[in-house]
Amino acid sequence: MPGSPRTAARARLLTPALALALATAATACSDGGPDRQARASAVGGESAPFAASPYWVDPDSDAARQVRDWQAHGRAADAKALKRIAERPVAGWPAGADPGPEIRRAVRAAAPHRRTVLLVAYNIPHRDCGRYSAGGAASAQAYTDWIDSFARAVGDAPALVVLEPDALPHLADGCTPPEYQDERYGLLSAAVARLKRQPHTRVYLDAGNPAWVTDTARMAGALRRAGVAQADGFSLNVSNFQRDDAVKRYGDRLSGELGGAHFVMDTSRNGAGPLPGGRAEAWCNPPGRALGKAPGADTGDARLDAYLWIKRPGDSDGTCRGGPPAGSWWPEYALGLARRAAG
């Protein structure tokens, strides 16, 4: 749908984020509450370093389970390093024909602690142009039903949803075949509208990264057609490695094209920047990378709503460079990201 995000919509976006930050800050000033205690027990009794985050931390994530396993098997140093992932909020990517059970589990776990659940909707038909993450819903109707199930599972809970990583950039760069393009725009626009029917759900349409679609006017046009005016903004750098300053500059230019739209950025694996030298498949399990800035809503930038770990650090990008299938947990890669992280 054409149009620019309204000022009132941007004001509504900031209010819940501020309220959540104040609420969790108050919790941090006390004994830390049951959420802090649950996360501490998940990683071996040490206090979690990110208790003030407004986002939910899954105490049973792959990283948290790996920490417990390594502790049990005498890999204490490795377990300690991996806590840099296990103790921080990471987005969930519900999969399968029905995303509802996984989302409801997260919502129930987060509710007592008044935390926002981070989610990625990633099931668009003809996904990823047939590459490592190919697949998605079998038809337009199947996708519509999937998004409806997704939204109903969120219910009234506070949630932040990144909508369909790569779907719009693949339209803008011509990778998606022409016969699927109109359908995709329609599905994305309808998905924004359906998710925004939930009273406390924020939605960000994915817009790639600054090394992908460099023409911001072209990317902005795709975002408008996909319904960004009804969303809370756009997301950048999902599953990629571009440095914060480059992503922010791109986000500011794209925001300017969209009348001041807000954005979020994925900092999960960009601590060392992208793989140098223009090597093949630089985006796929590149060696030598590091965790980036920790997730949080305190960015100091009026248009940048949050730093997020949207890609789950340690999940494989695909079978390149000896990795397991896309989306599979790869503990040794996760450990490398954690060991090379700053601080």
Side-chain angles (χ1 to χ4, degrees), residues 105-169:
R105 181 189 72 82
V107 164
R108 285 194 299 267
H113 317 295
R114 295 176 295 177
R115 301 297 170 95
T116 294
V117 176
L118 301 176
L119 297 167
V120 178
Y122 188 57
N123 198 38
I124 201 79
H126 318 294
R127 190 177 67 194
D128 200 32
C129 298
R131 295 189 290 209
Y132 292 117
S133 296
S139 67
Q141 186 59 55
Y143 184 72
T144 299
D145 294 343
W146 191 87
I147 285 290
D148 183 63
S149 178
F150 191 114
R152 285 187 286 107
V154 170
D156 295 342
L160 189 157
V161 179
V162 173
L163 184 57
E164 295 300 339
D166 300 350
L168 280 175

Side-chain angles (χ1 to χ4, degrees), residues 28-256:
C29 290
S30 65
D31 65 356
D35 184 56
R36 185 183 180 117
Q37 294 164 13
R39 283 180 285 140
S41 66
V43 294
E46 296 183 9
S47 296
F50 213 61
S53 169
Y55 307 114
W56 177 63
V57 177
D58 184 358
D60 198 38
S61 67
D62 287 324
R65 291 197 302 270
Q66 192 71 62
V67 166
R68 294 192 291 267
D69 179 75
W70 283 348
Q71 287 174 330
H73 289 86
R75 294 180 61 175
D78 292 342
K80 181 178 180 181
L82 198 62
K83 289 178 187 180
R84 291 180 170 181
I85 298 173
E87 294 177 341
R88 286 176 167 79
V90 178
W93 296 58
D98 182 6
E102 183 175 342
I103 295 172
R104 285 190 290 271
R105 181 189 72 82
V107 164
R108 285 194 299 267
H113 317 295
R114 295 176 295 177
R115 301 297 170 95
T116 294
V117 176
L118 301 176
L119 297 167
V120 178
Y122 188 57
N123 198 38
I124 201 79
H126 318 294
R127 190 177 67 194
D128 200 32
C129 298
R131 295 189 290 209
Y132 292 117
S133 296
S139 67
Q141 186 59 55
Y143 184 72
T144 299
D145 294 343
W146 191 87
I147 285 290
D148 183 63
S149 178
F150 191 114
R152 285 187 286 107
V154 170
D156 295 342
L160 189 157
V161 179
V162 173
L163 184 57
E164 295 300 339
D166 300 350
L168 280 175
H170 278 316
L171 286 169
D173 72 4
C175 182
T176 301
E179 61 267 29
Y180 301 139
Q181 293 184 7
D182 287 344
E183 175 187 85
R184 177 167 294 186
Y185 279 119
L187 289 173
L188 289 171
S189 179
V192 171
R194 177 63 189 91
L195 290 165
K196 288 303 295 177
R197 282 166 49 191
Q198 306 311 123
H200 304 297
T201 296
R202 289 174 282 164
V203 181
Y204 294 83
L205 276 160
D206 186 60
N209 65 74
W212 190 346
V213 181
T214 58
D215 184 345
T216 54
R218 185 178 182 86
M219 193 69 244
L223 284 162
R224 289 192 196 96
R225 190 172 171 186
V228 73
Q230 284 67 52
D232 295 284
F234 56 92
S235 61
L236 294 174
N237 208 40
V238 173
S239 300
N240 211 271
F241 304 85
Q242 305 303 309
R243 293 187 182 276
D244 290 349
D245 54 354
V247 178
K248 286 180 183 179
R249 285 195 300 270
Y250 183 85
D252 285 339
R253 293 201 308 272
L254 190 50
S255 175

